[in-house]
Amino acid sequence: MVFLEMLLNSLFKEKLVTMNIQFVVILYWMLILQHGYFTKGVDTNQLERPETVNIGCILSFQSVVSKVARVAIDAAVADVNSRPEVLAGTKMNIVMLDSNYSGFLSIIEALRFMETKTMAIIGPQSSVTAHVISHIANELQVPMLSYAATDPTLSTLEYPFFIRTSPSDLFQMAAISDIVDHYGWREVVAIYVDDDHGRNGISALGNQLAERRCQISYKAPLKPGPTVDDIRDALVQVTMVESRILVVHTYADMGLTIFSVAKYLGMMNSGYVWITTNWLTTILDSNNSLSSDMLEDVQGVLSLRIHTPDSQLKRNFVSRWRKLVSEEAGNDPVGLSTFGLYAYDTVWLLARAIDTFFKEGGNISFTKDPNLKQPQVGKLRFNEMSIFDGGKLLVRNILQVNTSGVTGQLQFTADKNLVRPAFEVINVIGTGRRIGYWSNYSGLSIEPPETLYDNPPNNSTVNQKLYGVIWPGETTQKPRGWVFPHNGRELKIGVPNRVSFRQFVGLDPSSADQFEGYCIDVFTAAQNLLPYALPYKLIPYGDGITNPSDTELVRLITTGVFDAAIGDLAITTDRTRMVDFTQPYIESGLVVVVPVKKLHSHPFAFLRPFTPKMWCVTALSFLIVGAVVWILEHRHNDDFRGPPRKQVITILWFSFSTLFFAHRENTVSTLGRLVLIIWLFVVLILNSSYTASLTSILTVQQLSSPIKGIESLLNNNDPIGFEQSSFAKKYLVEELGIKESRLVPLDLPEDYARALKAGPNNGGVAAVVDERAYIELFLSTRCEFSIVGQEFTRNGWGFAFPRDSPLAVDMSTAILRLSENGDLQRIHDKWLLGHACSSQGTKLEVDQLELKSFAGLFFISGLACLIALLIYFIRIVRDFTRARYAESESLNSSSSRSGRLRKFLSFADEKVMPERSRSKVKQLEGSSNGSSPDEQVYVPK
């Protein structure tokens, strides 16, 4: 064996590259078959495990995270090696190298590990270094497990051999986004270190905020290793922006310096909100010697801590932590942070995977990388680096581990992230207090996430809860989250320079840059209710000759020409896609205005309440009801009997006398009374409606127009006027399908009046379509015109601001307060009340009462008549059958059909005696001829 080893080593040392590969392989397998293992624990066969496995570990010994991780990793290795059942006797050999905060040194140390036949690497701590070393791991297929490199992009398919053993920053940024959304903020400022760790983390934050309709309004990057001056310059720029929600994503060594400078600049006072990633809680947990000044700098800050469920394993490890720290020679006393827990579990995770690796026949063997043929340079021997043949199998085994550790369940998802990531939300008061939890399963809650996993997932905003927070400045009131920037810039507010209806908004005649009107007074009153000063300047928009386009004014907000727009701006769907509007301060909508004429009284005005169809149906109903009552009463009631002429007169008289409830004929049959009482109810309703309508016609001045509303305009081809700057044109063309050639643009109220008076036949218009607010002001002095039909759109006027502007929310609140305290109505009365022409006592022609309004009553009456006739017919047929039973036998044999019909009609026309008279007659007839007392007695008419 020694001879074979010497021969193989000499072949490599003399760089016999041209040697036949088959001969080398034969020598290699001769060595394997003879002894079954390599002497130094580097290679082994599937039957026997090596005595040791080499594991590399890259740390920055002086960092807060590494100080804790070194103790935890050493403890984990000792625990694994002390339990033979874990690796079946194989020992883990951890070699730690110090990168000393240097990405370059981290790369060098990783390359050295690759020369020593390392099976896996724990680390690196930095995401920046992990990006570079991952390429080396990909080339040589060596798994790399990091508990501290939390950059989300390291989980991509680009790095198959990188495995993160702690939650990714993707979930941390989702937690921060939920916090921002929970408190109703919409914009944040990101302060971060400008490297892979910071940039990729903030990119993930931006994506998560966008899903909640929030955004990063300003980014303040810091170069790696910044000076105090660099930090101060960046924070001064932050004070110049609106948002006061500051998210700090950096490293622990520079984070406290950022807060020290912020406190010096007055940025830790009330009004500010500071949210940090978990670097701050790592310092608070690990560093037991923080000065009171350092703690004072971070009071009121919100931070995150990785949540690890309580368990017996965790409690045992925490209880022995102090002893582990004291045993670490030359190590300063450090507290246990979550990264220490994850470092401990990383070793155990790797041990479980290695054990499975050997059980599945894994073999620790290495193959020369054909891409590394360079001669050795200095101490880097590239030709000594080899590909780990079992790397893919080991990675697969790592990702398939499912066990419990001190951090909870150790299991990976399909995208190589740990299952059930969760964080604690910490409010730094003193050394910090927990105000809630976050998990990707249940969102924000005050209950530990592990208690909610058995419940259905529910991330609705209603269920998001946190305990109360003490914010910077020692206030418990939630900060507004934004202020106007202290850069002296006034808001540029666009105002339409109208030439018509200047009562709403228009330039003050006495000043070239001052506005007045209803809309201006509403804006001024609302602005005075804001809890802060609002510097602004009103800028006229329009040439002053024609009314400007409100839609174009709104669009200029999106381009940055204006910061806001106020005036008579209708809130429409198209405009809300561009900007945010405040609460409407006046209701409006499109209406149709037409010229009207007075209706003069005429001799037949009493016929106007009912339509002709209504009159016809009513008259016919009187006749039908009279005929039905006559049929039902004819055999029983003498009032409905007699000669045919008399009976016809009786029917007519009875029918129309019910109109005045003056009928003299009594009804004796049950069916007749039922029909009559229902009909009298119908007559009562008809009388009441007719009286009310006629009263209105005769006492109120009536106006009429051939156009009844927008429907009339749709059914003809007459020209229609509209205000040139209004959205009415687009609505009429696109929504209602009216031809654009029919539309006539108008500007001034005088143009409205002139076009309406001229009419469609003389170069004018049949109607004008405009917003109700304008039309009501137009009609206040012009009584010859009127609104017809219903308002066919519903919208209002509001002030426009950029999308997601917090000022829109504050102005909406102020407008609601104006409405509640009555100021909005007083402003309305000031500008829009006091009409010279009153429309009281005048209205458009009253709509005639139509048949459809009474169809239900007529149906009920008709149904009652039909049912009564049906019952009456059934009864009379029954009586006819009983009375003529004996005679019917002979009729069936000898009488014709016409004869039987005549007998039936004769029977139906016979008078039925009253009950008492009928009983006496039957008794007399029964005593004389022995007839049955049950037989009915009929008396001829």
Side-chain angles (χ1 to χ4, degrees):
M1 182 195 72
V2 176
F3 171 76
L4 289 174
E5 285 185 343
M6 292 176 62
L7 178 59
L8 189 58
N9 290 333
S10 64
L11 291 175
F12 283 107
K13 288 181 180 180
E14 293 176 9
K15 302 176 184 177
L16 299 179
V17 181
T18 59
M19 179 176 288
N20 191 309
I21 299 299
Q22 294 182 355
F23 178 69
V24 176
V25 173
I26 291 173
L27 292 177
Y28 172 80
W29 283 109
M30 288 176 62
L31 183 61
I32 293 294
L33 293 175
Q34 181 174 355
H35 290 279
Y37 61 93
F38 280 110
T39 55
K40 296 184 180 180
V42 177
D43 294 330
T44 183
N45 59 15
Q46 297 182 8
L47 299 178
E48 296 186 15
R49 300 190 182 197
E51 295 181 0
T52 61
V53 289
N54 294 327
I55 307 297
C57 183
I58 303 176
L59 302 172
S60 296
F61 287 175
Q62 298 305 313
S63 69
V64 175
V65 173
S66 290
K67 287 180 180 180
V68 178
R70 288 183 64 185
V71 179
I73 291 173
D74 287 340
V77 172
D79 292 345
V80 170
N81 290 338
S82 65
R83 296 177 58 180
E85 71 276 8
V86 177
L87 287 175
T90 301
K91 303 295 184 182
M92 294 184 70
N93 178 34
I94 295 285
V95 179
M96 295 185 182
L97 296 178
D98 184 10
S99 64
N100 195 25
Y101 292 100
S102 171
F104 174 73
L105 290 180
S106 297
I107 297 172
I108 298 301
E109 300 300 348
L111 292 174
R112 289 181 179 176
F113 280 133
M114 303 306 177
E115 298 174 6
T116 58
K117 314 302 182 185
T118 301
M119 188 177 185
I121 296 176
I122 296 177
Q125 178 181 320
S126 168
S127 297
V128 177
T129 307
H131 275 281
V132 179
I133 299 180
S134 292
H135 290 287
I136 302 174
N138 290 349
E139 178 68 23
L140 302 180
Q141 300 185 10
V142 177
M144 188 163 59
L145 296 82
S146 178
Y147 54 87
T150 54
D151 180 357
T153 62
L154 289 170
S155 299
T156 61
L157 298 176
E158 183 181 5
Y159 307 110
F161 288 89
F162 177 86
I163 301 170
R164 182 187 296 105
T165 58
S166 63
S168 164
D169 279 342
L170 175 65
F171 304 106
Q172 188 167 206
M173 298 309 174
I176 292 177
S177 300
D178 275 349
I179 293 173
V180 171
D181 185 52
H182 174 70
Y183 288 109
W185 301 313
R186 287 293 172 262
E187 294 184 353
V188 304
V189 173
I191 303 172
Y192 61 98
V193 59
D194 195 12
D195 59 11
D196 289 338
H197 170 71
R199 285 191 302 270
N200 294 332
I202 294 302
S203 177
L205 175 63
N207 294 336
Q208 294 295 325
L209 287 171
E211 293 180 4
R212 296 156 179 83
R213 289 201 64 187
C214 305
Q215 64 176 350
I216 299 175
S217 60
Y218 181 77
K219 293 182 179 180
L222 298 170
K223 69 179 183 180
T227 64
V228 173
D229 291 339
D230 295 332
I231 296 174
R232 183 175 59 250
D233 292 343
L235 294 184
V236 168
Q237 294 298 318
V238 170
T239 62
M240 307 295 285
V241 300
E242 293 182 357
S243 178
R244 287 294 180 262
I245 313 300
L246 313 179
V247 177
V248 183
H249 180 52
T250 181
Y251 298 112
D253 55 347
M254 72 171 68
L256 292 179
T257 305
I258 292 175
F259 281 103
S260 177
V261 175
K263 187 173 182 63
Y264 173 78
L265 295 176
M267 299 174 69
M268 296 303 297
N269 298 328
S270 60
Y272 282 89
V273 175
W274 290 85
I275 305 175
T276 77
T277 48
N278 60 347
W279 62 264
L280 180 56
T281 54
T282 299
I283 294 177
L284 297 176
D285 294 340
S286 304
N287 197 333
N288 297 323
S289 59
L290 282 180
S291 66
S292 58
D293 291 338
M294 291 180 179
L295 286 175
E296 184 66 24
D297 291 343
V298 295
Q299 295 300 294
V301 175
L302 291 183
S303 186
L304 298 177
R305 175 190 290 131
I306 303 175
H307 174 65
T308 54
D310 188 31
S311 65
Q312 188 61 45
L313 286 174
K314 179 180 175 181
R315 288 193 295 270
N316 293 340
F317 185 72
V318 171
S319 65
R320 54 186 283 223
W321 179 255
R322 184 179 298 275
K323 180 180 179 182
L324 293 173
V325 172
S326 62
E327 291 176 352
E328 188 74 18
N331 199 37
D332 296 331
V334 292
L336 176 59
S337 67
T338 53
F339 283 117
L341 298 175
Y342 278 100
Y344 181 84
D345 272 354
T346 299
V347 175
W348 274 95
L349 178 71
L350 181 58
R352 301 290 187 190
I354 292 174
D355 182 59
T356 306
F357 174 81
F358 287 131
K359 288 180 179 179
E360 292 182 357
N363 185 32
I364 302 180
S365 61
F366 294 86
T367 302
K368 287 295 182 179
D369 189 347
N371 296 323
L372 299 177
K373 298 180 180 179
Q374 300 89 339
Q376 70 179 40
V377 179
K379 294 184 178 181
L380 291 179
R381 296 171 295 176
F382 289 101
N383 59 332
E384 293 293 329
M385 298 179 185
S386 303
I387 297 174
F388 176 33
D389 297 329
K392 294 181 179 180
L393 177 60
L394 182 56
V395 166
R396 189 186 69 187
N397 291 332
I398 293 172
L399 296 177
Q400 290 178 349
V401 169
N402 185 2
T403 186
S404 296
V406 296
T407 59
Q409 185 178 4
L410 298 177
Q411 185 181 0
F412 292 94
T413 62
D415 53 359
K416 299 199 305 183
N417 286 311
L418 287 176
V419 297
R420 296 178 176 176
F423 291 86
E424 299 174 4
V425 184
I426 306 298
N427 182 203
V428 184
I429 297 299
T431 57
R433 66 186 184 94
R434 183 174 58 238
I435 61 171
Y437 303 86
W438 178 92
S439 74
N440 66 336
Y441 186 83
S442 56
L444 297 173
S445 67
I446 57 176
E447 300 293 333
E450 56 270 18
T451 64
L452 303 175
Y453 290 140
D454 293 334
N455 302 329
N458 192 342
N459 289 322
S460 66
T461 56
V462 178
N463 296 321
Q464 307 294 292
K465 296 180 182 179
L466 291 174
Y467 288 117
V469 178
I470 299 178
W471 306 99
E474 298 182 356
T475 177
T476 57
Q477 183 178 2
K478 186 196 78 172
R480 188 171 63 250
W482 72 280
V483 296
F484 280 96
H486 303 299
N487 53 13
R489 188 177 71 86
E490 296 177 324
L491 289 180
K492 296 179 295 183
I493 301 179
V495 184
N497 185 12
R498 293 191 60 87
V499 296
S500 63
F501 302 113
R502 300 169 69 90
Q503 294 91 330
F504 291 106
V505 59
L507 279 172
D508 189 345
S510 61
S511 177
D513 58 354
Q514 298 294 322
F515 287 87
E516 63 178 4
Y518 170 73
C519 301
I520 301 300
D521 281 5
V522 171
F523 175 77
T524 302
Q527 180 263 330
N528 291 334
L529 293 178
L530 296 178
Y532 47 83
L534 179 64
Y536 65 89
K537 181 180 180 181
L538 300 181
I539 302 174
Y541 173 71
D543 55 13
I545 301 175
T546 59
N547 290 325
S549 170
D550 292 341
T551 301
E552 181 63 19
L553 173 59
V554 169
R555 190 191 67 80
L556 292 177
I557 298 177
T558 64
T559 62
V561 175
F562 296 116
D563 298 315
I566 65 173
D568 50 343
L569 305 177
I571 303 173
T572 64
T573 302
D574 291 341
R575 296 173 185 175
T576 55
R577 294 191 181 105
M578 295 185 284
V579 297
D580 282 348
F581 282 93
T582 62
Q583 171 80 15
Y585 58 87
I586 187 173
E587 296 297 327
S588 187
L590 293 180
V591 294
V592 178
V593 61
V594 297
V596 293
K597 60 181 180 180
K598 296 180 181 179
L599 284 178
H600 301 286
S601 181
H602 58 83
F604 295 98
F606 66 90
L607 296 176
R608 193 180 298 168
F610 287 165
T611 62
K613 184 184 294 185
M614 180 67 182
W615 279 116
C616 293
V617 172
T618 302
L620 183 61
S621 298
F622 275 101
L623 295 175
I624 293 175
V625 171
V628 170
V629 173
W630 178 83
I631 293 174
L632 298 176
E633 295 289 325
H634 178 66
R635 303 183 71 224
H636 305 274
N637 195 337
D638 290 336
D639 291 339
F640 292 88
R641 299 186 66 80
R645 181 178 179 181
K646 177 186 176 183
Q647 294 183 48
V648 172
I649 294 174
T650 300
I651 293 174
L652 295 176
W653 165 255
F654 179 82
S655 299
F656 290 103
S657 64
T658 57
L659 177 62
F660 310 102
F661 304 97
H663 52 284
R664 296 173 301 176
E665 294 80 8
N666 295 321
T667 53
V668 297
S669 67
T670 303
L671 293 177
R673 290 174 178 176
L674 176 64
V675 171
L676 182 60
I677 195 170
I678 293 176
W679 174 245
L680 291 178
F681 175 74
V682 174
V683 170
L684 175 64
I685 301 300
L686 292 175
N687 276 336
S688 301
S689 303
Y690 177 85
T691 303
S693 179
L694 184 62
T695 302
S696 176
I697 290 173
L698 297 179
T699 58
V700 179
Q701 182 178 345
Q702 301 294 305
L703 304 176
S704 69
S705 169
I707 297 175
K708 305 301 181 183
I710 190 64
E711 295 82 5
S712 300
L713 296 178
L714 294 175
N715 295 328
N716 61 40
N717 292 316
D718 294 335
I720 304 170
F722 70 96
E723 186 187 357
Q724 191 165 9
S725 63
S726 172
F727 69 94
K729 176 181 179 180
K730 184 176 181 180
Y731 185 86
L732 293 174
V733 173
E734 296 183 2
E735 300 296 332
L736 300 183
I738 295 177
K739 295 180 180 179
E740 189 172 352
S741 59
R742 294 177 56 192
L743 304 181
V744 179
L746 304 170
D747 271 328
L748 301 175
E750 292 76 12
D751 299 335
Y752 287 15
R754 185 166 48 253
L756 288 171
K757 288 179 180 178
N761 298 324
N762 298 313
V765 297
V768 171
V769 175
D770 203 352
E771 296 182 64
R772 177 177 287 276
Y774 299 134
I775 295 302
E776 288 180 347
L777 190 59
F778 169 74
L779 295 178
S780 64
T781 57
R782 296 173 176 85
C783 296
E784 66 271 27
F785 308 106
S786 181
I787 296 173
V788 294
Q790 299 296 322
E791 188 174 341
F792 57 92
T793 65
R794 292 285 183 179
N795 52 33
W797 292 355
F799 304 134
F801 294 91
R803 295 298 300 269
D804 299 321
S805 171
L807 187 56
V809 178
D810 289 353
M811 287 295 290
S812 294
T813 304
I815 290 172
L816 288 175
R817 290 180 59 187
L818 289 176
S819 178
E820 292 170 355
N821 61 25
D823 288 344
L824 197 60
Q825 184 62 43
R826 283 189 283 273
I827 297 173
H828 179 276
D829 295 343
K830 171 186 174 182
W831 289 98
L832 307 178
L833 204 62
H835 307 325
C837 173
S838 174
S839 61
Q840 185 176 3
T842 303
K843 63 178 181 177
L844 276 177
E845 181 183 359
V846 177
D847 290 336
Q848 292 179 305
L849 300 175
E850 296 181 356
L851 177 61
K852 62 182 180 181
S853 301
F854 301 92
L857 287 174
F858 286 123
F859 174 76
I860 293 173
S861 178
L863 183 63
C865 292
L866 183 62
I867 294 175
L869 288 176
L870 181 62
I871 295 174
Y872 176 78
F873 179 74
I874 294 173
R875 290 175 58 182
I876 197 172
V877 170
R878 183 198 62 185
D879 293 343
F880 175 74
T881 303
R882 289 180 178 179
R884 305 298 179 183
Y885 178 75
E887 186 181 355
S888 64
E889 295 295 332
S890 61
L891 287 176
N892 288 336
S893 60
S894 60
S895 298
S896 64
R897 180 177 299 177
S898 60
R900 290 196 301 271
L901 179 60
R902 284 195 299 272
K903 286 183 178 293
F904 176 76
L905 294 177
S906 176
F907 175 81
D909 190 46
E910 291 179 351
K911 175 72 167 57
V912 179
M913 294 180 61
E915 188 68 26
R916 294 180 180 179
S917 300
R918 186 189 311 166
S919 299
K920 293 180 179 180
V921 172
K922 289 182 178 181
Q923 291 176 2
L924 293 174
E925 291 181 353
S927 61
S928 62
N929 54 21
S931 61
S932 172
D934 293 335
E935 295 181 0
Q936 294 188 6
V937 178
Y938 300 93
V939 179
K941 61 181 180 180

